[in-house]
Amino acid sequence: MKSILITGCSSGIGLDAALAFRDAGWKVIASCRKPADCAIMRDQHKMHSICIDYENEASITKGFADALAFTGGHLDVLFNNATYMHPELITPKPFWEKSLDAAAILDVGLRSAYVASWHAARIMVAARTGWIVFGSSFGANCYMHGPGYGAQKAGLDKFAADMQHDLNGTGVNSVSIWMGPLKTERALKAAEVHPEQYEEIMQVAESPEYTGHLIHGLRSGPDQSSYAGQTVIGAELGVALKISAAGIY
């Protein structure tokens, strides 16, 4: 049975991707920051859950040890999804008028992805198989939510490219996936507050679990290496893998 560790599963993309993999028969390790969220994942969603504080490297180290104890020492996929979403993230103000706390997106969303990938690579390279996946967006290549958000997403894309340079020949691959607008709980609330901004966007928004179906298809497909080190648009990857917006594969 294949196994996946998904970071940032308290809500949104991480939660729904975890559910998609659970339904596909994978061993899912869902990591959350708060013990209460971990309990919900275990009790309500029936999957293995571990608590990891992605601002604390010791916590990440312990979390990976717990994950390996659950999987029997192997890991097929790491999905780097954890990030920090400041309350002012989508507020239409220049960065200097927002709280400096918004810079935490670089610590949780970027540094933690590096640390988690470091741990995952050591496991996967020893087994000579695996995928390190980064959840990115078009904000890596255009203005979206300010410079902190853009730098974090661009950094994830660069991680995928440069980690692949080091991973070549090991049997392990990395990839960054640009997700489109998503029907997350946060986005739905924003659409209620700013319907004039979100009405058209929500009509074409992806379900949060769609990225989970894409990763499943990528990991299970016959031509995996062609995407190694690449940054791919999720919707285009879905067409190539014959995965519909409804997640049928």
Side-chain angles (χ1 to χ4, degrees):
M1 183 183 294
K2 293 186 178 68
S3 60
I4 182 170
L5 192 157
I6 304 175
T7 70
C9 285
S10 295
S11 63
I13 303 163
L15 170 59
D16 288 321
L19 296 176
F21 277 100
R22 181 203 64 185
D23 294 344
W26 286 52
K27 273 191 173 181
V28 180
I29 308 102
S31 74
C32 307
R33 185 173 183 177
K34 299 177 181 178
D37 293 332
C38 288
I40 291 172
M41 294 299 289
R42 287 191 297 266
D43 299 339
Q44 294 185 15
H45 302 303
K46 308 302 179 185
M47 64 184 71
H48 187 72
S49 181
I50 55 177
C51 288
I52 298 180
D53 178 357
Y54 287 97
E55 292 183 280
N56 185 316
E57 291 179 21
S59 179
I60 299 175
T61 301
K62 182 181 183 303
F64 268 84
D66 292 344
L68 289 181
F70 172 69
T71 65
H74 64 88
L75 183 65
D76 292 287
V77 175
L78 167 68
F79 178 25
N80 283 298
N81 169 70
T83 192
Y84 172 74
M85 309 293 277
H86 191 272
E88 293 182 301
L89 178 69
I90 63 173
T91 303
K93 296 191 295 187
F95 73 92
W96 64 89
E97 292 183 6
K98 297 181 181 181
S99 170
L100 189 56
D101 291 342
I105 193 172
L106 301 176
D107 298 320
V108 179
L110 197 55
R111 181 174 174 78
S112 70
Y114 184 97
V115 176
S117 299
W118 182 89
H119 284 280
R122 293 168 71 88
I123 299 163
M124 295 174 178
V125 169
R128 300 197 64 80
T129 184
W131 273 92
I132 297 173
V133 182
F134 300 92
S136 187
S137 86
F138 292 88
N141 199 39
C142 67
Y143 185 89
M144 186 183 294
H145 307 321
Y149 180 88
Q152 188 248 336
K153 298 306 180 187
L156 294 179
D157 293 352
K158 187 62 170 169
F159 279 169
D162 288 3
M163 287 182 185
Q164 188 62 48
H165 183 276
D166 292 346
L167 290 169
N168 282 334
T170 67
V172 183
N173 296 313
S174 59
V175 67
S176 186
I177 299 177
W178 279 7
M179 297 175 282
L182 295 162
K183 294 178 182 178
T184 62
E185 183 179 353
R186 180 187 294 268
L188 291 172
K189 288 181 179 179
E192 291 178 1
V193 178
H194 302 287
E196 73 286 353
Q197 296 181 28
Y198 282 85
E199 183 177 0
E200 292 185 7
I201 293 175
M202 296 310 290
Q203 290 178 2
V204 296
E206 301 170 358
S207 62
E209 65 267 23
Y210 181 56
T211 303
H213 293 298
L214 293 178
I215 299 170
H216 173 88
L218 182 65
R219 184 65 180 87
S220 305
D223 189 23
Q224 300 176 22
S225 61
S226 62
Y227 297 102
Q230 301 297 309
T231 293
V232 297
I233 297 172
E236 294 181 353
L237 180 62
V239 171
L241 298 177
K242 296 181 172 58
I243 298 173
S244 73
I248 304 302
Y249 49 96

